[in-house]
Amino acid sequence: MFINLSNLKEIGSRKQVSLELEFHDLEFANREIEIKDPIKLELEIFNTSDSFVVEGKLKANLILRCSRCLQKYSSPVELDISEDVLKSEMEDEEELYLDEIIVDNIILSLPMKPLCSDDCKGICPECGQDLNEGECDCEVEALDPRLAKLKDFYNDDNE
Ligand SMILES: [Zn+2]
Ligand SMILES: [Zn+2]
């Protein structure tokens, strides 16, 4: 996606751009990030002597996968954009390439451990049941990590 800058040649000139665009899904660090609805952008572009400053907002509806229960969930994001695109790095000073700005900002906003909700119960380590949907019949031994250490200690002793 390009924004035409041919009417922004004069240093000091600025323009507002408001647009919606369908965007492809992303893949990052083996995670798939679906982008559900069109991305909404409200930007102001400002021509400085050696760069174009791009500022504004990006709104998107992402579909992420919860790191605990592995279900997909919808995560609306609203991001502040503030980029300085150097003219020396542009292929053509009359066209601003937006994709990279969009991808970088979305990836930077991603949580390290996405969670469908703060109190997601995750899945049962025995049978894989989604514990948000109900308890399973497994008897998972809830072992206090301090007790586990103690147990190891005694086991070592017996050897
Ligand atoms: Zn979850
Ligand atoms: Zn289970």
Side-chain angles (χ1 to χ4, degrees):
M1 172 77 202
F2 290 98
I3 291 183
N4 188 319
L5 300 177
S6 57
N7 56 356
L8 209 65
K9 277 190 182 139
E10 227 173 284
I11 290 169
S13 58
R14 54 179 74 223
K15 78 168 179 178
Q16 311 270 350
V17 183
S18 143
L19 51 101
E20 289 192 16
L21 66 151
E22 293 282 348
F23 209 74
H24 55 83
D25 295 343
L26 308 176
E27 216 186 273
F28 173 68
N30 287 325
R31 285 157 62 182
E32 222 171 288
I33 298 113
E34 284 176 44
I35 300 186
K36 204 176 158 203
D37 305 314
I39 291 181
K40 288 187 185 142
L41 289 162
E42 300 277 345
L43 301 174
E44 185 174 62
I45 304 168
F46 178 63
N47 186 347
T48 75
S49 57
D50 44 30
S51 70
F52 287 97
V53 172
V54 184
E55 287 186 328
K57 285 211 182 299
L58 179 161
K59 281 190 201 176
N61 197 2
L62 310 180
I63 308 290
L64 305 178
R65 198 178 282 281
C66 176
S67 57
R68 263 185 219 160
C69 69
L70 309 178
Q71 296 294 323
K72 289 181 178 178
Y73 69 100
S74 147
S75 168
V77 290
E78 189 172 329
L79 309 174
D80 289 320
I81 305 286
S82 179
E83 299 279 341
D84 201 7
V85 183
L86 292 175
K87 288 178 186 175
S88 58
E89 288 174 7
M90 292 169 77
E91 259 178 57
D92 179 347
E93 281 187 25
E94 294 194 3
E95 284 181 333
L96 177 70
Y97 188 52
L98 276 183
D99 294 38
E100 215 174 82
I101 296 179
I102 293 171
V103 171
D104 287 354
N105 278 277
I106 288 180
I107 284 176
L108 274 176
S109 79
L110 294 175
M112 292 287 288
K113 282 191 184 291
L115 288 179
C116 63
S117 87
D118 282 340
D119 52 5
C120 171
K121 296 189 181 81
I123 55 175
C124 168
E126 294 290 324
C127 70
Q129 154 90 9
D130 184 344
L131 299 175
N132 297 308
E133 285 167 10
E135 297 284 319
C136 57
D137 297 324
C138 302
E139 286 190 30
V140 180
E141 208 181 332
L143 203 54
D144 186 310
R146 283 165 303 176
L147 288 180
K149 269 213 182 114
L150 209 59
K151 212 172 157 189
D152 285 346
F153 177 77
Y154 282 118
N155 285 343
D156 287 348
D157 225 28
N158 291 338
E159 271 168 17

